Amino acid sequence: MADAPLMAGKSVLVTGGTGGIGRATAIGLAALGARVGITGRDQARTVAAVAGIRAATGNAAVDAFAADMSAQAGVRGLAAQVAGTYPRLDVLVNNVGGFWAHRHVTADGLERTFALNHLAPFLLTNLLLGRLTASAPARVVTVSSGAQASGRINFEDLQGGRNYSGQRAYSQSKLANVMFTYELARRLDGTGVTATVLHPGVVRTSFGAEDQAAYFAVMSRVARLFMKTPAQGAVTSIYLASSPEVEGITGRYFANRKPKTASKAAYDTAAAARLWQASAGLAGLTATT
Ligand SMILES: NC(=O)c1ccc[n+]([C@@H]2O[C@H](COP(=O)([O-])OP(=O)(O)OC[C@H]3O[C@@H](n4cnc5c(N)ncnc54)[C@H](OP(=O)(O)O)[C@@H]3O)[C@@H](O)[C@H]2O)c1
């Protein structure tokens, strides 16, 4: 008798699964037999992506969750929907993220890069922690970027209100992804829930297209030819979400399926604790929510 697929019986949520790296991650995990939920902002686009993932993998157990994750009400609604749909949650892939050349403000009055790239995964993970812990061994996988290396957490101006730069806001948010993961791993020690974070590579997606920086606009078609495909960019996310090789591995940063040293700033435990407290305050997270 053939072995059961690696992820048979497991439920996974991939945020930002309608396109790019997230869609490729969802395809990879659905092909391994997981029940996969994907999120996107628009109901019709998310449902269409689900149909595509089902067709590509032959796995009918793919679900659509529509939510604008830049708004905290959207994240809270999403968490409630997922908890109501999935009796167990084995893997959460925090993939959603974006880049904006100009400063935008969310429904909560927060700068969008910080809100979507950092606060959304922070809040969603915290809201789903009970379900993940009850499903242990479980995994939280967060998609950061090589840009974390040039990131700096500006505690005096987390929202870039004084002097916004798209690159600075993006790098800060991606460093925050790493610091969040390391702090989460410390907090989850002994629970059987692991937290890892990754750089997917430079990948040919719609990334940054909503509000392009000049350097995106001039990026030649030739340069795009040398970028990873979304399937290649999803390899490390799929590996961390599914491979027995990383069972129990926590608090590590990966690229190309290998552990790497992150930015020195990511190992500052006092700063990580401070960022956690600031994020909990901004996300309205109390011990009971
Ligand atoms: N591409 C790269 O070279 C690269 C490099 C390093 C790191 N990364 C990271 O990889 C992750 C995925 O990036 P990507 O390149 O695949 O981006 P992408 O092609 O722009 O895809 C972004 C995904 O997020 C969803 N999304 C965007 N805004 C949202 C919102 N407000 N609420 C809910 N969903 C939203 C989009 O869905 P809808 O549009 O359907 O809502 C889409 O599914 C990001 O965290 C990014 O920082 C990418």
Side-chain angles (χ1 to χ4, degrees), residues 15-23 39-42 45-46 67-71 94-100 112 116-117 143-147 170 174 177 198-210 227:
T15 66
T18 61
I21 299 164
R23 181 176 185 275
T39 82
R41 275 166 293 189
D42 179 74
R45 204 161 55 226
T46 313
D68 178 356
M69 294 182 64
S70 70
N94 287 316
N95 168 80
V96 81
F99 177 101
W100 292 276
R112 193 193 285 168
L116 184 67
N117 295 12
V143 182
S144 174
S145 163
Y170 183 70
K174 293 291 138 178
N177 290 156
L198 68 114
H199 169 49
V202 181
V203 188
R204 204 181 313 130
T205 66
S206 305
F207 180 75
E210 281 181 10
M227 292 183 184

Side-chain angles (χ1 to χ4, degrees), residues 10 17 22 26 28 46 81 100 110 112 128 133 143-144 150 152 188 200 209 215 229 250 256 261 270 274 285:
K10 308 243 186 220
T46 313
Q81 244 190 306
W100 292 276
L110 301 171
R112 193 193 285 168
L128 291 174
T133 308
V143 182
S144 174
S150 57
R152 177 176 160 259
L188 292 177
Y215 69 85
T229 63
T250 193
N256 291 321
T261 303
R274 185 178 176 192
L285 202 64

Side-chain angles (χ1 to χ4, degrees), residues 211-263:
D211 177 11
Q212 289 195 334
Y215 69 85
F216 278 127
V218 299
M219 195 179 272
S220 71
R221 292 198 181 145
V222 177
R224 282 179 67 84
L225 287 177
F226 293 98
M227 292 183 184
K228 286 184 177 180
T229 63
Q232 290 166 336
V235 161
T236 304
S237 296
I238 296 166
Y239 173 72
L240 293 175
S242 64
S243 174
E245 278 176 31
V246 284
E247 184 73 56
I249 303 289
T250 193
R252 300 299 302 269
Y253 173 67
F254 286 76
N256 291 321
R257 307 202 312 170
K258 297 274 183 294
K260 302 275 180 210
T261 303
S263 148

Side-chain angles (χ1 to χ4, degrees), residues 8-210:
K10 308 243 186 220
S11 297
V12 177
L13 182 71
V14 181
T15 66
T18 61
I21 299 164
R23 181 176 185 275
T25 302
I27 288 175
L29 294 170
L32 291 173
R35 180 176 185 183
V36 179
I38 62 161
T39 82
R41 275 166 293 189
D42 179 74
Q43 176 74 23
R45 204 161 55 226
T46 313
V47 167
V50 161
I53 296 166
R54 286 180 180 161
T57 60
N59 183 347
V62 185
D63 308 300
F65 297 96
D68 178 356
M69 294 182 64
S70 70
Q72 291 176 15
V75 176
R76 288 178 181 277
L78 172 65
Q81 244 190 306
V82 170
T85 310
Y86 290 174
R88 53 178 300 120
L89 185 62
D90 300 279
V91 185
L92 169 62
V93 183
N94 287 316
N95 168 80
V96 81
F99 177 101
W100 292 276
H102 304 92
R103 191 174 189 275
H104 300 264
V105 173
T106 69
D108 304 303
L110 301 171
E111 188 280 311
R112 193 193 285 168
T113 320
F114 186 76
L116 184 67
N117 295 12
H118 168 62
L119 278 184
F122 173 84
L123 179 58
L124 184 65
T125 304
N126 273 289
L127 294 174
L128 291 174
L129 262 191
R131 189 54 51 92
L132 287 158
T133 308
S135 312
R139 304 178 185 193
V140 178
V141 177
T142 299
V143 182
S144 174
S145 163
Q148 56 84 27
S150 57
R152 177 176 160 259
I153 307 294
N154 185 351
F155 284 105
E156 276 62 55
D157 187 20
L158 284 172
Q159 313 291 322
R162 284 179 213 147
N163 183 16
Y164 181 83
S165 134
Q167 190 59 54
R168 247 196 331 264
Y170 183 70
S171 301
Q172 172 178 263
S173 73
K174 293 291 138 178
L175 173 60
N177 290 156
V178 184
M179 292 169 76
F180 160 65
T181 298
Y182 289 178
E183 178 68 16
L184 183 66
R186 286 188 281 276
R187 287 170 178 250
L188 292 177
D189 187 32
T191 63
V193 183
T194 60
T196 53
V197 58
L198 68 114
H199 169 49
V202 181
V203 188
R204 204 181 313 130
T205 66
S206 305
F207 180 75
E210 281 181 10

